[in-house]
Amino acid sequence: MTDRPVRVRFAPSPTGPLHIGGVRTALYNYLLARHTGGTMILRIEDTDQTRFVPGAEDYILRSLEWCGIQLDESPWHGGAYAPYRQSERKALYMQYAQQLLNTGNAYYAFDTPEELEAMRKRLKAEKVDFQYNSVMRMQMKNSLTLPADEVRRRIASGEPYVIRLKVPLKEEIRFTDLIRGHVVVQSSTIDDKVLMKSDGMPTYHLANVVDDHLMEISHVIRGEEWLPSAPLHVLLYRAFGWESTMPQFAHLPLLLKPEGEGKLSKRDGDKHGFAVFPLQWNNPETGESSRGFREDGYLPEALVNFLALLGWNPGTEQEIFSMEELIAAFSLERVNKSGAKFDINKAKWYNQQYIKAMSDEQLAGFLLQELDKQGLICSNEKAVLVARAMKERITFIHELVSAGRFFFEAPVAYDAETVAKKWTADAAKALTAFAELLKGWQGAFTPTAVKTALNDLLAQLGMKPGPVMPALRLAMTGSGGGPDLMEILAICGREETIRRIETAVKALV
RNA sequence: GCACCGUUCGUCUAGGGGUUAGGACGUAUCCCUUUCACGGAUAAAACACGGGUUCGAUUCCCGUACGGUGUACCA
């Protein structure tokens, strides 16, 4: 139980795009696997045929790849414990359910969903909670209350049935959660959960336990929403006689809404204008699309870093971690117990940090991609220069273009406030003289050379640079802020500079 | 309702029987910068409440409050 090789699994349901909380769960699994030299497994839990969404599986795979979470075993990578899709393991579950039936740990139940619903309603009116448990089961239609031959008859005639776990009446269930410590639950509070549904598919509980056992999973790391059903799973391991090799549990704190009152949801993202999915998702059924962190301009390294520190911390004051550093530092012991409100500001900060740390060439690559999307053309050399100039003033990749548009196109409008404050007749006169000077320019058009020339000119005219610079900036960029002015001139080039000055002087007189 | 889990600055968190309760994001101010950012500095900002235990509790125990999750033939 303790010294087994580490084998962890991330087990999503392909019911839609992978939620950011799911990404974090996958990440923690991955970090533990790599930290311990263990194995990272992805298992698709598609036992609910009614909720299958085409494209969701593929989305999960692409999301994990984008985040840099590598899988060792999965439906796509294969592995010694294949298949890794529960729908392809269907026959297996019936076999194990049968084992539980044989050992008296489970029973057939014939109550229809409608009957159960009616029962729940009736008891609710009497202010009693309905639980299909050790006391109620003797009043229901199942193989415990019906004569054996009738049970056989019903099954033979094809009547729908489910198989339920026969939860012991009074038993203490204790287990240790790696994050929360000892957890004790009385079996009387657990109901006789359905193990096999009437469509012949297992429920999560059965499939999960059977597969974790068969795949020799050592640690079950999953969201806190599973904590209440963990005792049931322990009971299942017990019923199967697998308690000695039961995986260790670690229930992760949840990602909460920024304003508190529940789990983070897609709605929160829409409401506050941020993504809750790694990649953009287009719902094939409704045609509706949801934004993704990638499309919003986040770097995967930044997202991973942000997510890792949401619920875990190394106990040091280090904030920036590469995946390698996360792997080295990670431990389940340092995962927090309480839920974390999702603060997109911190994600933005991380993104900014990662952009700043990127090489000019690398950033230029992203810039070229963005430009291409918008039908703008730029040389490689210029892209590197622009990347360097913009690096420290953007938060998102796409801002290279939106905030640096003037590098590629002359301004089409001028910021009114800056015009009012900074554009003067004197400045316009000086700029016109500067443009004239530029027309006869000889030699390299570098920031320092331009600066010297401009300062000399202003000195001749008896003017100070103070009032002229902002006007020149306005002519070049249309606004009052941005990278070093001389850099801008050099990057845009001599002729373009002349053109912009002349345009501005005409437009703003 | 019942079961389980949780509660340190607005947010993410460190810490832990005696601390000026530390860091980061965000906010504010200043410095740097003829702009904007980056960077640097400073500031405001927290132990949910009530009882114990103890010389001493934010830290341990018990309650309360609040929050979260679960309570499906969904995962």
Side-chain angles (χ1 to χ4, degrees):
Chain A
M1 182 167 160
T2 42
D3 285 337
R4 285 192 290 160
V6 169
R7 289 178 55 80
V8 294
R9 98 279 123 109
F10 175 56
S13 283
T15 55
L18 181 59
H19 188 269
I20 198 71
V23 175
R24 192 193 54 165
T25 303
L27 176 64
Y28 283 14
N29 272 280
Y30 177 70
L31 294 177
L32 181 73
R34 288 293 179 266
H35 181 82
T36 57
T39 306
M40 173 72 180
I41 297 151
L42 180 121
R43 184 173 70 222
I44 296 288
E45 308 226 325
D46 55 350
T47 53
D48 186 355
Q49 297 166 327
T50 65
R51 293 210 302 162
F52 174 79
V53 175
E57 274 189 16
D58 183 56
Y59 179 93
I60 292 166
L61 213 215
R62 285 187 296 116
S63 297
L64 297 181
E65 274 176 356
W66 182 67
C67 291
I69 297 171
Q70 296 160 3
L71 305 171
D72 300 313
E73 298 174 21
S74 82
W76 303 278
H77 301 78
Y81 300 79
Y84 292 92
R85 210 167 345 236
Q86 292 186 326
S87 59
E88 294 168 19
R89 302 168 66 83
K90 190 175 168 185
L92 220 50
Y93 306 117
M94 191 59 205
Q95 208 177 298
Y96 282 97
Q98 192 64 51
Q99 181 187 327
L100 257 22
L101 247 14
N102 296 149
T103 55
N105 283 300
Y107 59 90
Y108 294 104
F110 300 97
D111 320 272
T112 65
E114 295 71 30
E115 286 170 344
L116 291 173
E117 194 40 49
M119 178 75 92
R120 261 188 274 269
K121 222 174 244 170
R122 188 161 57 83
L123 289 178
K124 182 144 197 173
E126 296 169 32
K127 297 225 190 292
V128 181
D129 281 327
F130 173 75
Q131 264 221 123
Y132 206 119
N133 60 15
S134 53
V135 320
M136 282 305 288
R137 65 182 166 229
M138 297 318 286
Q139 301 173 37
M140 308 300 286
K141 288 191 293 187
N142 54 50
S143 59
L144 264 18
T145 58
L146 266 17
D149 55 344
E150 186 180 343
V151 170
R152 267 193 298 277
R153 203 210 76 229
R154 283 181 184 242
I155 293 172
S157 72
E159 188 173 317
Y161 66 86
V162 299
I163 296 173
R164 284 180 183 272
L165 179 69
K166 192 174 164 192
V167 175
L169 175 60
K170 223 174 150 56
E171 215 172 280
E172 211 169 57
I173 306 159
R174 2 173 116 248
F175 65 96
T176 304
D177 183 284
L178 262 15
I179 294 167
R180 276 146 228 286
H182 296 286
V183 179
V184 186
V185 180
Q186 302 300 325
S187 68
S188 56
T189 64
I190 299 175
D191 58 354
D192 289 357
K193 279 274 177 307
V194 170
L195 264 22
M196 289 295 292
K197 300 184 262 190
S198 56
D199 65 358
M201 286 297 261
T203 57
Y204 170 85
H205 307 292
L206 206 226
N208 191 262
V209 166
V210 166
D211 286 345
D212 283 347
H213 171 73
L214 260 24
M215 295 181 177
E216 300 186 58
I217 299 303
S218 62
H219 301 258
V220 169
I221 305 170
R222 77 232 294 191
E224 194 186 347
E225 68 266 31
W226 292 108
L227 191 55
S229 44
L232 170 77
H233 300 159
V234 173
L235 234 32
L236 272 168
Y237 282 101
R238 230 181 251 180
F240 278 120
W242 299 336
E243 216 176 346
S244 63
T245 57
M246 185 169 78
Q248 299 214 261
F249 292 104
H251 289 94
L252 267 23
L254 263 19
L255 260 28
L256 271 19
K257 293 177 185 296
E259 266 126 26
E261 20 83 43
K263 282 199 275 190
L264 180 69
S265 70
K266 171 166 156 43
R267 279 197 90 75
D268 298 304
D270 296 341
K271 192 170 149 197
H272 300 282
F274 60 80
V276 297
F277 302 115
L279 313 178
Q280 191 181 89
W281 164 255
N282 301 308
N283 188 317
E285 275 143 11
T286 62
E288 173 195 24
S289 99
S290 309
R291 62 202 291 172
F293 277 91
R294 186 229 261 154
E295 290 71 20
D296 277 1
Y298 286 88
L299 298 167
E301 295 81 1
L303 214 216
V304 162
N305 197 155
F306 166 64
L307 245 26
L309 276 284
L310 215 50
W312 171 86
N313 77 83
T316 67
E317 283 176 1
Q318 186 176 351
E319 303 274 347
I320 304 291
F321 285 85
S322 67
M323 187 68 100
E324 294 314 310
E325 290 173 311
L326 286 173
I327 290 169
F330 187 77
S331 78
L332 247 18
E333 289 72 44
R334 294 204 65 90
V335 174
N336 274 102
K337 292 179 174 65
S338 45
K341 286 185 187 152
F342 193 82
D343 181 10
I344 198 65
N345 272 330
K346 196 103 180 200
K348 287 181 186 171
W349 178 76
Y350 271 112
N351 211 47
Q352 193 187 102
Q353 296 301 310
Y354 275 84
I355 287 178
K356 201 149 62 78
M358 244 195 283
S359 73
D360 300 338
E361 290 71 23
Q362 212 181 342
L363 231 205
F366 282 102
L367 171 59
L368 258 9
Q369 271 178 32
E370 286 294 319
L371 288 171
D372 193 52
K373 272 188 225 165
Q374 306 197 23
L376 293 165
I377 301 167
C378 167
S379 73
N380 211 15
E381 297 72 47
K382 183 174 174 182
V384 173
L385 294 175
V386 172
R388 187 171 62 204
M390 294 304 292
K391 213 199 279 203
E392 282 176 352
R393 37 205 111 220
I394 59 169
T395 301
F396 300 111
I397 291 293
H398 53 78
E399 286 174 336
L400 279 171
V401 177
S402 61
R405 193 154 204 104
F406 53 83
F407 280 117
F408 314 103
E409 287 177 342
V412 289
Y414 300 93
D415 179 65
E417 201 183 320
T418 314
V419 173
K421 274 198 203 146
K422 309 287 185 187
W423 188 265
T424 61
D426 277 355
K429 214 178 288 170
L431 289 185
T432 305
F434 182 50
E436 285 310 313
L437 181 152
L438 255 26
K439 284 176 184 167
W441 183 270
Q442 303 286 336
F445 195 65
T446 65
T448 40
V450 176
K451 185 171 190 173
T452 310
L454 178 55
N455 281 338
D456 290 351
L457 174 69
L458 292 176
Q460 278 172 39
L461 296 172
M463 294 180 72
K464 291 220 180 312
V468 180
M469 294 301 197
L472 178 54
R473 176 179 294 281
L474 195 57
M476 294 304 293
T477 72
S479 78
D484 182 81
L485 227 197
M486 296 306 136
E487 292 274 355
I488 295 175
L489 297 203
I491 293 172
C492 288
R494 187 178 65 99
E495 286 168 17
E496 181 63 18
T497 300
I498 296 168
R499 217 171 298 141
R500 290 190 190 183
I501 290 172
E502 288 178 341
T503 307
V505 168
K506 257 181 238 149
L508 294 172
V509 163

